[in-house]
Protein backbone atom coordinates (compact mmCIF):
# COMPACT_ATOMS: atom_id res chain seq x y z
CA UNK A 1 0.00 0.00 0.00
CA UNK A 2 2.85 2.39 0.85
CA UNK A 3 4.47 1.85 -2.55
CA UNK A 4 1.15 2.40 -4.28
CA UNK A 5 0.55 5.70 -2.46
CA UNK A 6 4.09 6.87 -3.27
CA UNK A 7 3.67 5.87 -6.92
CA UNK A 8 0.34 7.70 -7.08
CA UNK A 9 1.85 10.84 -5.58
CA UNK A 10 4.60 10.78 -8.21
CA UNK A 11 1.91 10.53 -10.91
CA UNK A 12 0.51 13.83 -9.66
CA UNK A 13 3.43 15.66 -11.31
CA UNK A 14 2.64 14.80 -14.98
CA UNK A 15 -1.09 15.26 -14.32
CA UNK A 16 -0.57 18.80 -13.02
CA UNK A 17 1.81 19.49 -15.92
CA UNK A 18 -0.92 18.53 -18.42
CA UNK A 19 -3.48 20.58 -16.49
CA UNK A 20 -1.16 23.60 -16.57
CA UNK A 21 -0.75 23.30 -20.34
CA UNK A 22 -4.50 22.99 -20.96
CA UNK A 23 -5.35 25.90 -18.66
CA UNK A 24 -2.64 28.11 -20.18
CA UNK A 25 -3.97 27.52 -23.71
CA UNK A 26 -7.67 27.83 -22.86
CA UNK A 27 -7.25 31.04 -20.87
CA UNK A 28 -5.38 32.74 -23.72
CA UNK A 29 -7.85 31.83 -26.46
CA UNK A 30 -10.91 33.13 -24.57
CA UNK A 31 -10.13 36.84 -25.01
CA UNK A 32 -7.63 39.68 -24.88
CA UNK A 33 -6.77 40.39 -21.21
CA UNK A 34 -5.23 43.77 -22.12
CA UNK A 35 -8.54 44.97 -23.57
CA UNK A 36 -10.35 43.90 -20.41
CA UNK A 37 -7.88 45.50 -18.01
CA UNK A 38 -7.75 48.90 -19.72
CA UNK A 39 -10.60 51.40 -20.09
CA UNK A 40 -12.15 52.04 -23.51
CA UNK A 41 -10.37 55.40 -23.68
CA UNK A 42 -6.91 53.78 -23.48
CA UNK A 43 -4.55 54.65 -26.31
CA UNK A 44 -2.55 52.28 -28.47
CA UNK A 45 0.55 53.23 -26.50
CA UNK A 46 -1.16 52.28 -23.23
CA UNK A 47 -2.07 48.89 -24.71
CA UNK A 48 1.48 48.34 -25.94
CA UNK A 49 2.96 49.21 -22.54
CA UNK A 50 0.60 46.86 -20.67
CA UNK A 51 1.11 44.07 -23.22
CA UNK A 52 4.87 44.34 -22.70
CA UNK A 53 4.50 44.52 -18.92
CA UNK A 54 2.43 41.31 -18.89
CA UNK A 55 4.85 39.58 -21.25
CA UNK A 56 2.09 38.96 -23.81
CA UNK A 57 4.29 40.21 -26.66
CA UNK A 58 6.59 37.22 -26.27
CA UNK A 59 6.17 33.83 -28.03
CA UNK A 60 3.64 31.48 -26.45
CA UNK A 61 6.24 28.89 -25.43
CA UNK A 62 8.22 31.61 -23.63
CA UNK A 63 5.06 32.78 -21.85
CA UNK A 64 4.27 29.19 -20.86
CA UNK A 65 7.72 28.50 -19.44
CA UNK A 66 7.56 31.68 -17.37
CA UNK A 67 4.04 30.79 -16.21
CA UNK A 68 5.13 27.26 -15.28
CA UNK A 69 8.18 28.50 -13.39
CA UNK A 70 6.10 30.95 -11.40
CA UNK A 71 3.37 28.36 -10.75
CA UNK A 72 5.93 25.96 -9.26
CA UNK A 73 6.69 28.70 -6.72
CA UNK A 74 2.99 29.23 -5.99
CA UNK A 75 2.89 32.47 -7.96
CA UNK A 76 -0.06 32.63 -10.38
CA UNK A 77 0.11 36.40 -10.71
CA UNK A 78 -1.99 39.27 -9.38
CA UNK A 79 -5.75 39.48 -9.77
CA UNK A 80 -6.45 42.71 -11.68
CA UNK A 81 -9.95 42.81 -10.16
CA UNK A 82 -8.94 42.46 -6.50
CA UNK A 83 -5.30 43.61 -6.72
CA UNK A 84 -4.09 40.66 -4.62
CA UNK A 85 -2.16 37.43 -5.35
CA UNK A 86 -4.48 34.98 -7.11
CA UNK A 87 -3.44 31.91 -5.10
CA UNK A 88 -4.01 33.77 -1.83
CA UNK A 89 -7.56 34.68 -2.92
CA UNK A 90 -8.29 31.07 -3.88
CA UNK A 91 -6.90 29.67 -0.62
CA UNK A 92 -8.92 32.21 1.36
CA UNK A 93 -12.15 30.90 -0.24
CA UNK A 94 -11.20 27.22 0.05
CA UNK A 95 -12.16 26.73 3.76
CA UNK A 96 -15.70 27.95 3.04
CA UNK A 97 -16.07 25.48 0.17
CA UNK A 98 -14.63 22.64 2.29
CA UNK A 99 -16.98 23.50 5.13
CA UNK A 100 -20.01 23.43 2.85
CA UNK A 101 -18.89 20.24 1.06
CA UNK A 102 -18.26 18.33 4.30
CA UNK A 103 -21.60 19.45 5.78
CA UNK A 104 -23.48 18.50 2.59
CA UNK A 105 -21.78 15.10 2.53
CA UNK A 106 -22.69 14.59 6.21
CA UNK A 107 -26.36 15.33 5.50
CA UNK A 108 -26.28 13.00 2.48
CA UNK A 109 -24.75 10.08 4.39
CA UNK A 110 -27.12 10.47 7.36
CA UNK A 111 -30.11 10.36 5.00
CA UNK A 112 -28.90 7.86 2.39
CA UNK A 113 -27.45 5.02 4.48
CA UNK A 114 -30.58 4.09 6.51
CA UNK A 115 -32.89 4.71 3.55
CA UNK A 116 -30.76 2.68 1.13
CA UNK A 117 -30.36 -0.26 3.49
CA UNK A 118 -34.06 -0.25 4.43
CA UNK A 119 -35.05 -0.10 0.76
CA UNK A 120 -32.89 -3.15 -0.03
CA UNK A 121 -33.96 -5.18 3.01
CA UNK A 122 -37.66 -4.35 2.38
CA UNK A 123 -37.41 -4.99 -1.34
CA UNK A 124 -40.65 -4.74 -3.34
CA UNK A 125 -42.65 -3.65 -0.30
CA UNK A 126 -44.52 -0.44 0.44
CA UNK A 127 -41.44 0.85 2.32
CA UNK A 128 -39.27 0.25 -0.75
CA UNK A 129 -41.81 2.04 -2.94
CA UNK A 130 -41.94 5.10 -0.67
CA UNK A 131 -38.14 5.36 -0.37
CA UNK A 132 -37.71 4.96 -4.14
CA UNK A 133 -40.28 7.69 -4.74
CA UNK A 134 -38.55 10.05 -2.29
CA UNK A 135 -35.22 9.35 -4.00
CA UNK A 136 -36.60 10.19 -7.43
CA UNK A 137 -38.15 13.43 -6.15
CA UNK A 138 -34.95 14.39 -4.32
CA UNK A 139 -32.86 13.85 -7.45
CA UNK A 140 -35.33 15.62 -9.73
CA UNK A 141 -35.66 18.83 -7.69
CA UNK A 142 -33.29 21.59 -8.90
CA UNK A 143 -30.96 22.86 -6.20
CA UNK A 144 -31.76 26.54 -6.81
CA UNK A 145 -35.51 25.91 -6.46
CA UNK A 146 -35.11 23.92 -3.26
CA UNK A 147 -32.77 26.57 -1.84
CA UNK A 148 -35.28 29.34 -2.51
CA UNK A 149 -38.13 27.29 -1.01
CA UNK A 150 -36.09 26.58 2.13
CA UNK A 151 -35.25 30.29 2.47
CA UNK A 152 -38.93 31.22 2.17
CA UNK A 153 -40.00 28.66 4.79
CA UNK A 154 -37.24 28.74 7.41
CA UNK A 155 -35.96 32.31 7.03
CA UNK A 156 -38.81 34.49 5.75
CA UNK A 157 -41.92 32.80 7.19
CA UNK A 158 -40.62 31.21 10.41
CA UNK A 159 -37.44 33.24 10.92
CA UNK A 160 -35.51 30.39 12.54
CA UNK A 161 -32.50 30.33 10.20
CA UNK A 162 -30.47 33.09 8.48
CA UNK A 163 -31.18 33.85 4.83
CA UNK A 164 -27.60 33.89 3.54
CA UNK A 165 -23.92 34.44 4.30
CA UNK A 166 -21.34 32.47 6.25
CA UNK A 167 -21.26 32.45 10.03
CA UNK A 168 -22.11 29.80 12.61
CA UNK A 169 -23.77 26.43 12.23
CA UNK A 170 -27.15 28.07 11.61
CA UNK A 171 -25.79 29.65 8.39
CA UNK A 172 -24.61 26.24 7.20
CA UNK A 173 -27.82 24.23 7.60
CA UNK A 174 -29.85 25.45 4.61
CA UNK A 175 -27.11 25.39 1.91
CA UNK A 176 -25.72 22.07 3.17
CA UNK A 177 -29.18 20.47 3.23
CA UNK A 178 -29.92 21.85 -0.26
CA UNK A 179 -26.79 20.21 -1.66
CA UNK A 180 -27.15 17.08 0.45
CA UNK A 181 -30.66 16.15 -0.72
CA UNK A 182 -29.71 15.53 -4.35
CA UNK A 183 -26.58 13.67 -3.33
CA UNK A 184 -28.52 11.58 -0.79
CA UNK A 185 -31.05 10.59 -3.44
CA UNK A 186 -28.28 9.32 -5.71
CA UNK A 187 -26.50 7.51 -2.89
CA UNK A 188 -29.75 5.89 -1.67
CA UNK A 189 -30.35 4.28 -5.05
CA UNK A 190 -26.72 3.16 -5.23
CA UNK A 191 -26.75 1.66 -1.74
CA UNK A 192 -29.99 -0.16 -2.52
CA UNK A 193 -28.59 -1.70 -5.72
CA UNK A 194 -25.32 -2.62 -4.07
CA UNK A 195 -27.01 -4.16 -1.03
CA UNK A 196 -29.42 -6.20 -3.19
CA UNK A 197 -26.46 -7.70 -5.05
CA UNK A 198 -24.59 -8.46 -1.81
CA UNK A 199 -27.62 -9.97 -0.07
CA UNK A 200 -27.96 -12.55 -2.86
CA UNK A 201 -24.37 -13.82 -2.46
CA UNK A 202 -23.61 -17.31 -1.16
CA UNK A 203 -21.63 -16.11 1.85
CA UNK A 204 -24.67 -14.15 3.06
CA UNK A 205 -26.82 -17.30 2.87
CA UNK A 206 -24.05 -19.18 4.69
CA UNK A 207 -24.02 -16.55 7.44
CA UNK A 208 -27.79 -16.85 7.81
CA UNK A 209 -27.62 -20.64 7.86
CA UNK A 210 -25.20 -20.42 10.80
CA UNK A 211 -27.92 -18.76 12.79
CA UNK A 212 -26.51 -15.23 12.81
CA UNK A 213 -29.04 -12.53 13.53
CA UNK A 214 -30.45 -10.42 10.74
CA UNK A 215 -28.80 -7.21 11.94
CA UNK A 216 -25.41 -8.96 12.26
CA UNK A 217 -25.63 -10.34 8.71
CA UNK A 218 -26.63 -6.99 7.26
CA UNK A 219 -24.35 -4.79 9.36
CA UNK A 220 -21.22 -6.93 9.53
CA UNK A 221 -21.21 -8.92 6.29
CA UNK A 222 -23.37 -7.12 3.73
CA UNK A 223 -23.13 -3.39 4.46
CA UNK A 224 -19.34 -3.14 4.49
CA UNK A 225 -18.95 -4.82 1.10
CA UNK A 226 -21.78 -2.74 -0.30
CA UNK A 227 -19.95 0.47 0.54
CA UNK A 228 -17.33 0.27 -2.23
CA UNK A 229 -19.47 1.81 -5.01
CA UNK A 230 -20.78 4.34 -2.49
CA UNK A 231 -17.22 5.45 -1.69
CA UNK A 232 -16.67 5.95 -5.43
CA UNK A 233 -19.65 8.25 -5.81
CA UNK A 234 -18.75 10.08 -2.58
CA UNK A 235 -15.27 10.91 -3.86
CA UNK A 236 -16.59 12.09 -7.21
CA UNK A 237 -19.30 14.20 -5.63
CA UNK A 238 -17.00 15.67 -2.97
CA UNK A 239 -14.63 17.10 -5.57
CA UNK A 240 -17.64 18.44 -7.48
CA UNK A 241 -18.88 20.10 -4.31
CA UNK A 242 -15.54 21.88 -3.79
CA UNK A 243 -15.56 23.75 -7.08
CA UNK A 244 -18.94 23.16 -8.61
CA UNK A 245 -21.56 24.43 -6.18
CA UNK A 246 -21.97 27.62 -8.16
CA UNK A 247 -25.75 27.98 -8.03
CA UNK A 248 -26.15 27.07 -4.37
CA UNK A 249 -23.32 29.41 -3.34
CA UNK A 250 -24.97 32.18 -5.33
CA UNK A 251 -28.45 31.56 -3.87
CA UNK A 252 -27.15 31.61 -0.29
CA UNK A 253 -24.36 34.19 -0.92
CA UNK A 254 -21.87 31.63 0.34
CA UNK A 255 -18.31 33.02 -0.10
CA UNK A 256 -16.82 29.85 -1.56
CA UNK A 257 -14.44 28.96 -4.35
CA UNK A 258 -17.22 28.37 -6.88
CA UNK A 259 -18.57 31.89 -6.53
CA UNK A 260 -15.05 33.34 -6.89
CA UNK A 261 -14.43 31.25 -10.00
CA UNK A 262 -17.65 32.40 -11.68
CA UNK A 263 -16.76 36.06 -11.14
CA UNK A 264 -13.22 35.42 -12.42
CA UNK A 265 -14.48 33.74 -15.59
CA UNK A 266 -17.00 36.51 -16.27
CA UNK A 267 -14.32 39.21 -15.87
CA UNK A 268 -11.56 37.21 -17.61
CA UNK A 269 -9.40 37.42 -14.48
CA UNK A 270 -6.90 34.88 -15.80
CA UNK A 271 -4.75 34.69 -12.69
CA UNK A 272 -7.63 33.54 -10.48
CA UNK A 273 -8.92 31.06 -13.07
CA UNK A 274 -5.49 29.47 -13.39
CA UNK A 275 -4.93 29.28 -9.63
CA UNK A 276 -8.44 27.90 -8.95
CA UNK A 277 -8.21 25.21 -11.63
CA UNK A 278 -4.80 24.15 -10.32
CA UNK A 279 -6.04 23.89 -6.74
CA UNK A 280 -9.18 21.97 -7.76
CA UNK A 281 -7.11 19.58 -9.92
CA UNK A 282 -4.77 18.92 -7.01
CA UNK A 283 -7.73 18.21 -4.69
CA UNK A 284 -9.22 15.80 -7.25
CA UNK A 285 -5.96 13.86 -7.54
CA UNK A 286 -5.48 13.62 -3.76
CA UNK A 287 -9.13 12.58 -3.30
CA UNK A 288 -8.70 9.80 -5.85
CA UNK A 289 -5.67 8.48 -3.97
CA UNK A 290 -7.59 8.54 -0.67
CA UNK A 291 -10.48 6.72 -2.39
CA UNK A 292 -8.16 3.92 -3.50
CA UNK A 293 -6.86 3.63 0.07
CA UNK A 294 -10.47 3.41 1.32
CA UNK A 295 -11.15 0.57 -1.17
CA UNK A 296 -8.26 -1.38 0.31
CA UNK A 297 -9.47 -0.81 3.86
CA UNK A 298 -13.05 -1.86 3.03
CA UNK A 299 -12.07 -4.95 1.04
CA UNK A 300 -8.62 -6.44 1.86
CA UNK A 301 -8.94 -8.69 -1.23
CA UNK A 302 -8.24 -5.66 -3.45
CA UNK A 303 -4.56 -5.54 -4.35
CA UNK A 304 -2.52 -2.78 -5.97
CA UNK A 305 0.56 -3.45 -8.07
Amino acid sequence: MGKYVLKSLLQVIPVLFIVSLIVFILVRVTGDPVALMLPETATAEDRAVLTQALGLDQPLYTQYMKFLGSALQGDFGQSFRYGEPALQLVLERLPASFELAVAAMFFAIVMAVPLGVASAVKRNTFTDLIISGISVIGKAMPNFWMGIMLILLFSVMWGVLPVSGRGGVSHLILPAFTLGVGLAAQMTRLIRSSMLEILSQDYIRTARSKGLGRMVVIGKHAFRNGLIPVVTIMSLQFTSLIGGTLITETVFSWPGLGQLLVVAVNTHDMAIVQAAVFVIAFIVVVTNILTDVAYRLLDPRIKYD
Side-chain angles (χ1 to χ4, degrees), residues 24 29 33 48 66 95 137 140 146 158 179 206 215 230 239 249 275 278:
F24 177 81
V29 299
K66 287 186 176 179
I137 294 173
M146 175 178 285
W158 299 332
L179 288 172
T206 302
M215 296 304 295
V230 180
T239 51
E249 287 186 359
F278 251 84

Side-chain angles (χ1 to χ4, degrees), residues 158-180:
W158 299 332
V160 294
L161 291 172
V163 176
S164 61
R166 185 189 180 206
V169 176
S170 59
H171 289 80
L172 191 59
I173 294 176
L174 292 185
F177 185 80
T178 301
L179 288 172

